[in-house]
Amino acid sequence: MARRSDPINPTDDEARALARRLLAGARHAALAVIEPETGTPFVSRIALATDPEGAPLTLVSDLAVHARAMRANPAVSLLVGEPGARGDPLVHPRLTLRAVARFVARDDAKHADWRAHYLAQNPKAKLYADFADFHFVRFAPLSAALNGGFGRAHALSAADLMASER
C-alpha cells in the first residue's frame, strides 16, 4: 500500500461546512498580529462575531496593542475552535484563518448593519461599542487551515469560507 506524503486532505463540502460552523459559532478567538514596536508576534483573545456574509468581525479599543498592530500591519491570523471538556484537546476541530484586518469607519455604509449584527451576537458590548476609542474591525479572509481532528487536515480558500451552504 502506497503511503501518502501530503497530510492535507482534498477540501470537500464537509470540510467547508465545518469551517463555516466553527467561524459562525465562535464567540472569541485568538488573534495573532505583529507588534509594531518590536516586530515580534503578539497574541490576544478577542470577542468575535460574524457579519451577514459570514466574515469575522470584532470590536477593538485604540488602547489595545492588537489595535495598534493591525493599523500598522493589517495581516493577521485568527484561531477559533474550542477543545472539548474531555480527552485530548488536539482531537477537537479548530480553524486557523489568515486574513486582512479592515477597520470600519463610522461613516461606512455598512457600519450600522455590522454594528447591529455584532451587538446581536455580543449584547454586553453595547456598554462600550460607541465609545470614541472603539472601532469595528472586519477580517477579510485570505485562506485557512482546518484541523477537523486526527487525520482531517484541509487547506481552504477565502471562497470556501464565505460561500453559502449548499
Side-chain angles (χ1 to χ4, degrees), residues 3 11 16 18 21 26 31 35-36 39 47-48 54 58 84 88 91 105 108-109 119 131 140 154 156 160:
R3 237 176 110 175
T11 299
R16 289 180 194 95
L18 176 56
R21 279 195 310 274
L31 168 68
E35 192 175 32
L48 198 68
T58 194
D88 184 344
V91 301
D108 186 298
L119 294 177
F131 288 2
H154 301 272
L156 292 97
D160 289 328

Side-chain angles (χ1 to χ4, degrees), residues 4 6 61 64 66 80 87 89 101 110 127:
R4 209 172 70 127
D6 185 359
S61 168
H66 53 266
V80 297
K110 292 192 175 188
L127 298 171

Side-chain angles (χ1 to χ4, degrees), residues 33-43 65 68-69 72-73:
V33 296
I34 299 297
E35 192 175 32
E37 297 82 7
T38 65
T40 58
F42 182 87
V43 178
V65 170
R68 290 192 311 274
N73 179 354

Side-chain angles (χ1 to χ4, degrees), residues 4 7-9 14-15 18-19 22 80-82 88-95 145-154:
R4 209 172 70 127
I8 306 301
N9 295 307
E14 184 179 337
L18 176 56
L22 287 169
V80 297
E82 290 296 311
D88 184 344
L90 297 180
V91 301
H92 298 279
R94 57 213 180 265
L95 181 73
L146 172 66
N147 186 322
F150 185 78
R152 295 178 53 208
H154 301 272

